[in-house]
Amino acid sequence: MKAAHVFWISIFSGGLALAQGPRPDDLGASPQPVGEAGVAWYTTWETARAEAERSNRPIFFMAAAATCSGISGVF
Amino acid sequence: MCVRLESYESEEHQKMVRSFLDGRFENTAFCLLAPDGETRLSGTGRSPSQGLRQRRGPGRGRGDNGVVEAMEKVAKKFRAKGTKEGAILQDFHSFRQGLNVASGDQRLLIFVVATENDRKTLGTDLRDLMSDKEIIGKFHMDFADEEPDSQWRDAVKGERGNTGIFVIRANAFGQTGSVMEQLPVDATPEELKNALLEANTSFAKTEKRKVYSEHVAAGRRARVHFENGMPYGEDRDGDGVIDHRAGRGGRGAGPEAGERRGPPAGRRGGPPRGNRRPGQPPQRPRIRPGGTE
């Protein structure tokens, strides 16, 4: 649950910035230590929808760019 | 459950984003949906605070708490069914994107290369393991597809044989990787779990956490570019055409797909932009996954 809070706090604290579009220089480090559990994301709509139907759980939908100014390795 | 799509991966993804943003295309979109994948349970927007607050009633909160409250309230309306251990496995549309995302999230990528029959079998047999509390949320997973992944070996060092379960460490920019562990497709769950935990421990000890501003700066210097499925840029006026705004430095506001370009004029080596004062440590990331299942 600690990791969950790290995620949601970090993502929500970026709300205003997201509304305006963050600049690369505004981006710091992830608050999550490497190797610890994060969100178990589904990364295709097909698998996500299948799992939602299977488990009857609502979907948190997020779309974002896995690049920053065309530079990869950022999500 | 959570889905995160890459906004620039395909036209289909961009259509979904537009559907949530009243026809506009922007880098990010958020919404809560019912298990049917169609019924909207929240507002929509390009940020969580815009999108996830409920449209009316309690929970339409202030700041972060309102969003979390809205999510909790929505979740309580549904009685989960099926077992946690039966959860469908993650997959990517392509190994290339999986490697990039694994790099961005700084997780190891489990890449399954097997015959179609074996992939189907493993897609079921590995569910229990991937739901294990020691495993879930620590890795990304991708099953090789015939067409988009035929060239995967070109990007990876250390692989042996034609099939296997490969535990891959992506490089900093997610365009190449190296195999940390390789197991046969008939490895037992215990063998696989031990290998995954061992690899993750080693990874955690040796992987330096990225500071994204520095990462982007390094990428610009090295002229790194990732060609995505769709042209970079946003369509904020919703006219169906990507806007081209000079000086936009936000995510996805880089050069057109296929075009390799260095940093914008005047940016290279210049002072940091944004609200950060000189000497102030990097800020909390504005977009960043973390959290848990």
Side-chain angles (χ1 to χ4, degrees):
Chain A
M1 284 308 293
K2 180 184 173 187
H5 285 132
V6 168
F7 166 66
W8 296 120
I9 289 169
S10 66
I11 203 164
F12 294 148
S13 66
L16 178 61
L18 281 170
Q20 299 167 340
R23 294 182 182 282
D25 293 327
D26 293 337
L27 301 171
S30 167
Q32 184 182 359
V34 174
E36 289 196 2
V39 173
W41 294 108
Y42 284 93
T43 39
T44 68
W45 182 240
E46 296 77 18
T47 52
R49 187 161 175 182
E51 173 57 16
E53 289 183 352
R54 185 199 72 86
S55 63
N56 195 43
R57 287 186 294 164
I59 300 168
F60 170 85
F61 175 91
M62 173 181 177
T67 58
C68 184
S69 296
I71 293 164
S72 49
V74 183
F75 212 160
Chain B
M1 46 79 57
C2 302
V3 58
R4 183 180 55 178
L5 303 184
E6 216 292 345
S7 303
Y8 290 89
E9 187 169 17
S10 66
E11 186 174 1
E12 185 182 2
H13 287 187
Q14 296 208 341
K15 283 180 180 173
M16 291 187 75
V17 171
R18 286 183 185 276
S19 75
F20 289 125
L21 301 179
D22 299 323
R24 291 174 283 117
F25 175 75
E26 301 184 14
N27 291 340
T28 54
F30 293 83
C31 187
L32 294 179
L33 298 160
D36 64 10
E38 295 178 3
T39 307
R40 293 183 187 178
L41 303 174
S42 72
T44 61
R46 74 168 293 168
S47 72
S49 58
Q50 288 176 345
L52 271 57
R53 288 179 193 160
Q54 290 177 314
R55 279 170 253 189
R56 53 186 171 275
R60 183 182 49 198
R62 303 166 299 280
D64 305 349
N65 288 338
V67 175
V68 174
E69 286 169 9
M71 292 179 70
E72 289 175 341
K73 189 172 182 183
V74 164
K76 285 177 183 172
K77 292 179 181 173
F78 296 90
R79 177 176 292 182
K81 65 180 184 182
T83 62
K84 194 172 67 175
E85 293 74 20
I88 291 169
L89 297 177
Q90 179 194 15
D91 197 10
F92 283 89
H93 289 297
S94 70
F95 171 74
R96 188 169 169 272
Q97 194 66 267
L99 198 62
N100 180 31
V101 170
S103 173
D105 286 343
Q106 296 195 276
R107 295 186 199 177
L108 296 175
L109 176 66
I110 303 168
F111 187 52
V112 179
V113 184
T115 64
E116 186 174 355
N117 281 342
D118 283 343
R119 288 201 304 271
K120 284 182 181 171
T121 302
L122 289 166
T124 302
D125 289 353
L126 294 179
R127 291 183 182 187
D128 192 21
L129 172 64
M130 297 310 297
S131 298
D132 187 293
K133 63 182 181 182
E134 292 185 83
I135 299 294
I136 191 168
K138 293 182 179 176
F139 301 86
H140 283 299
M141 186 168 208
D142 183 33
F143 288 80
D145 298 302
E146 314 290 345
E147 181 55 31
D149 298 335
S150 59
Q151 305 298 315
W152 73 275
R153 292 174 189 281
D154 295 346
V156 171
K157 289 188 293 189
E159 91 287 1
R160 306 177 308 278
N162 293 321
T163 62
I165 301 172
F166 300 87
V167 184
I168 297 174
R169 177 179 191 156
N171 81 340
F173 296 104
Q175 299 190 22
T176 60
S178 56
V179 175
M180 291 186 72
E181 295 281 353
Q182 178 177 343
L183 290 100
V185 294
D186 59 355
T188 66
E190 292 74 23
E191 290 171 332
L192 190 51
K193 180 177 178 179
N194 289 336
L196 291 175
L197 291 176
E198 190 174 322
N200 193 52
T201 299
S202 173
F203 178 63
K205 286 180 181 172
T206 53
E207 178 81 355
K208 185 182 175 188
R209 208 184 308 186
K210 287 180 186 175
V211 175
Y212 294 108
S213 56
E214 296 172 4
H215 176 80
V216 172
R220 283 176 170 155
R221 286 194 298 273
R223 292 188 166 268
V224 168
H225 181 68
F226 184 85
E227 186 167 336
N228 235 324
M230 299 298 289
Y232 291 116
E234 297 185 318
D235 171 21
R236 293 192 179 189
D237 54 12
D239 65 355
V241 179
I242 295 299
D243 307 328
H244 293 281
R245 300 182 184 192
R248 286 281 308 142
R251 288 180 179 225
E256 293 288 338
E259 179 187 354
R260 296 178 68 91
R261 191 179 72 185
R267 294 296 311 283
R268 184 179 295 170
R273 296 200 313 197
N275 298 325
R276 185 148 55 101
R277 294 187 298 275
Q280 185 180 359
Q283 300 170 356
R284 188 183 293 276
R286 303 307 174 115
I287 309 174
R288 178 60 192 149
T292 187
E293 73 268 33

